[in-house]
Amino acid sequence: MSQVRVRFAPSPTGFFHIGSARTALFNWLYARHTGGKFILRIEDTDKERNSEAFLKIILDSMHWLGMDWDEGPGVGGDFGPYFQSQRTELYRTKLKELADKGRAYEKDGAWWLRLEGARSTVFDDHLKKEIEKVEAAPMVLEDLVRGRVERAEDRDFVLFRSNGEPVFHFVNVVDDIEMKITHVIRGEDHLSNTSKHLEIFKAFGVTPPHYAHIPLILKTDGPGKMSKRDRGALIEEYQQRRYLPAAVRNYLCLLGWTPADGKEVMPIEEIVRQFEISAVHQSNARFDERKMSHVNAQTLRLLPPAEFAAVARPILTETGVVHADVSDARLTEVLGIVQEKVVSVEHLPEFLAFFFTDKFNKDENALANLSKKGGEPVTRVRELLPTLTAAAWEEAALEAAFTAVGTTCGRKPTDYFAPVRYAISGQGGGAHLLGVLRVLGRDTTLARLQAFAT
RNA sequence: GUCCCCUUCGUCUAGCCCGGUCCAGGACACCUCGUUUUCAUCGAAGUAACUGGGGUUCGAAUCCCCAAGGGGACGCCA
């Protein structure tokens, strides 16, 4: 069997949409799973709407999500150029081929594909005008996801516009032929177009590739598919909000496909190993940012400490929480005790600012809650302070100090935790308290407790 | 309007091909309890679904038909 060749063919006319990213991803996964080639082809035939800026965004987002291509912009390949705007001569040649066969004709300055079948003129309700209908034989598609789908085209359609530019359906098929594409994996919104494409393949006398039409991603609520306006629709957004690219990619895999073993959060190598087109779903899926956020949190907590530090350091530096003079060792020490509690990179600065500055924010709700349990917080801290001051600065000794004070004052040791946490961090929750005390250090801790108690 | 696709908890889904093991399993969310803390972790428990109607069958989430609902396509956009 010949090698799998798949392609992702975006047109740079807008931001990189989550649906496009998922289509690219499934193609990429299939190529990597089968050891085939993943080709990136830029469909920039619409001169009016194309832009360099959009192209850059698409390329950047592909890199960010870790989807590398074997042929295409920047890497070349044997079937280039990979920009359709540079392939016009080829399209003209191929059009002539169809014209010579009598399958393409010129009308109103444009070139049309001639369908084979009986013709009649009828009034079309949708178009609100008289049109020429053709009774063409239905095209039969054996879709890898949908199964057998039959559909008949009933009108000739445009191949080349009157301005001399070819249209999508034509260039898409010509390039799939020329680039020897074996599998076309694309969104279900193209399912109805496939009969057109099959007609073109037939006109060329070429066997079409295998098709797999994957389900669409629907809005979280409300009708219809995700559109660029919807929150969470653009890949850029996740980049800005410090999502882990691996997590975004992982969640995207779950939208339209389920691994056989039921595991959801897993490394990309594992997904590549398990990915099968036959397991791709047939029904559309609704986008759920909460689940994506969960996948992100899980991924974050599973990161090796060094990698966690690498993703944390930039935002901590940018927000001024961590200065350049903070050593990697110190940063890793702090991150080490919070990682298991962390839920997003975005919230890291506020979460651990108190380790690096005395001017941390104080959570009013946390303060209000203090006296509900454990009584007067300032009194608690005063009770605790002498014993804590005398204690050795390691977790077992600190714990013993809390217990001792609790026993003396007739209270649970935990009655002291919330006041202490608030006094040193301004927060109502966070990482394991004894660990926080240890890492924060004796001097800083005692100073903040003193300040709170006076 | 025409054509195409889809239909299991609020959401993502497993199961469906090869009907009984499913009074339907998991995950997210939610709710409750627990945990060295009172909503960022973690643990335990809970609420919650086979769109409807016919049929086939001893037996249907699973097979067939119809209906309804959802989605998509009908451009000299891609």
Side-chain angles (χ1 to χ4, degrees), chain A residues 77-131:
Chain A
D78 296 339
F79 303 87
Y82 293 89
F83 287 86
Q84 289 184 330
S85 56
Q86 297 167 22
R87 297 169 69 82
T88 314
E89 274 318 300
L90 169 70
Y91 304 136
R92 289 191 200 291
T93 307
K94 300 302 282 185
L95 175 67
K96 182 159 190 309
E97 194 179 319
L98 290 189
D100 291 345
K101 285 185 177 183
R103 294 302 308 275
Y105 63 93
E106 193 176 7
K107 188 182 80 179
D108 302 333
W111 283 86
W112 301 66
L113 182 93
R114 185 193 306 283
L115 255 24
E116 294 173 318
R119 284 161 191 270
S120 58
T121 302
V122 299
F123 185 81
D124 186 288
D125 281 338
H126 184 69
L127 267 25
K128 308 286 184 222
K129 62 174 181 183
E130 295 258 299
I131 57 167

Side-chain angles (χ1 to χ4, degrees), chain A residues 318-336:
Chain A
E318 286 164 34
T319 51
V321 166
V322 168
H323 297 291
D325 61 350
V326 173
S327 70
D328 282 338
R330 174 59 178 165
L331 183 61
T332 305
E333 188 181 29
V334 170
L335 291 173

